[in-house]
Amino acid sequence: MRFVHTADWQLGMTRRYLGARPAREAGGPTGEAQARFAEARLDAVRALGRIADEADAAFVLVCGDVFESNLVGPEVVARACEALGSFRTPVLLLPGNHDPADASCLLRRPDFVRRRPPHVTVLDTPGVHAVAPGVEVVAAPWRSKHPLSDLVGEQLAALDPAPPGTLRVVAGHGELDVLDPDDDEPARIRRDGVLAALADGRVHYVALGDRHSAWADAADDRIRHAGTPEVTDFDEVDPGHVLVVDLDEHAARVRTETVGRWRFVRHYAALDTDADLDALDAWLAARADKERTAVRLVLRGTLSLRQRTRLDELLGGHGHAFASLEILEPHSDLATVPDDADLDALDLHGFAADAAAELFAAAGRASEGAGDVEARDALRLLHRLVGS
Ligand SMILES: [Mn+2]
């Protein structure tokens, strides 16, 4: 029996650094990257649907967070239904923590129900669902944003061994206790219970969502997170895939297929010399698919005024090509300290020269370490004004 395991489509997700906010700074992201990012999530759905069709999969199982929120707009719902309608393999949607089956559940909203293609089923009822001849899915949907128990564990505890010839797949959402050992989180999925249910034949595969990185349990690789099919954040490990699972009563053979096309990249750079700036410039220039790449730079070092101006120009130039390019300020530590060449380059006279000299004295020299930060900022501004 073959099926596609996926999760965390997060349809309708917005990202501030792609220009999702209505009020934007001059020169900030324009929002067109946000629109392309939203379209990419739907492209990933269409791509995994094609993979399922071509693989002749029995079904596509989406383990929660199909939508970013129960409150996403009707246009997100309509486009999602169009994407779901682009392939013929049956689809099973599990409510997760972002789209729980509560009173506001999007998967029960009239605009979704009206447009939902007939091959799409919502697993909003916990328990065993017969989904194909000889195949059962054991659903553990989230029914609120803050469940007070291990929803998967409860379903497993209520099961008898699967009837002979029947394959059972668990559909769950949430972290295993071993992946995020937080004693205060009652909804953690107890791994011991999952391993026991696989060992005694109550279930044959445990499909999980919530973790946006793909993951397989080392003790039994039939316990898996599929990861998000299109990247959602900078800390995800190898996102952008779906799993094509061939399952029998004893084992799962899992093939990973790539559907995601965006990249979120964090880059660390030490900036102290012109050569360091050259290297950063070259690194940015070498990125492929810049229009689908968001970059966060963590920058550390000390630059002169001239070098800092060069950095600003360099980032400004590359920024137009990328979906997003920003300095991650809380993790960066970049000082601008004027050197003698900066003072000469200003070529000021009279009152302005006196003021600049005073600022230089207050700002200190790079070799002397810390100086007055406000004086350095003022010099940066002065350098930019005079230099332009
Ligand atoms: Mn999620």
Side-chain angles (χ1 to χ4, degrees), residues 167-203:
L167 290 172
R168 270 199 195 137
V169 176
V170 177
H173 187 85
E175 289 282 28
L176 287 170
D177 50 7
V178 286
L179 288 174
D180 188 7
D182 177 354
D183 291 340
D184 296 335
E185 178 47 70
R188 287 281 168 270
I189 300 168
R190 249 69 91 206
R191 181 194 188 216
D192 287 348
V194 176
L195 286 169
L198 285 163
D200 64 22
R202 273 174 286 162
V203 298

Side-chain angles (χ1 to χ4, degrees), residues 21-73:
R21 277 187 186 167
R24 293 185 296 272
E25 295 170 23
T30 60
E32 60 85 31
Q34 172 61 49
R36 291 189 291 105
F37 181 66
E39 192 59 26
R41 312 206 70 75
L42 294 172
D43 287 342
V45 171
R46 285 184 280 263
L48 71 87
R50 278 195 301 276
I51 288 167
D53 282 356
E54 284 163 17
D56 212 13
F59 54 88
V60 172
L61 180 55
V62 192
C63 292
D65 293 0
V66 180
F67 289 95
E68 174 71 0
S69 150
N70 280 334
L71 304 175
V72 299

Side-chain angles (χ1 to χ4, degrees), residues 242-286:
V242 295
L243 306 179
V244 180
V245 182
D246 282 307
L247 189 66
D248 63 29
E249 288 176 3
H250 310 289
R253 285 179 306 285
V254 178
R255 177 161 56 94
T256 298
E257 291 276 354
T258 301
V259 293
R261 300 177 71 216
W262 278 57
R263 294 188 186 89
F264 283 17
V265 185
R266 199 173 281 167
H267 181 66
Y268 296 80
L271 295 182
D272 292 295
T273 65
D274 282 300
D276 293 338
L277 289 168
D278 291 342
L280 178 63
D281 194 9
W283 184 88
L284 288 166

Side-chain angles (χ1 to χ4, degrees), residues 358-383:
E358 226 171 281
L359 285 170
F360 268 82
R365 297 292 191 271
S367 57
E368 292 162 13
D372 183 331
V373 174
E374 284 176 14
R376 289 175 185 176
D377 286 346
L379 277 171
R380 251 177 84 187
L381 182 61
L382 185 62
H383 190 263

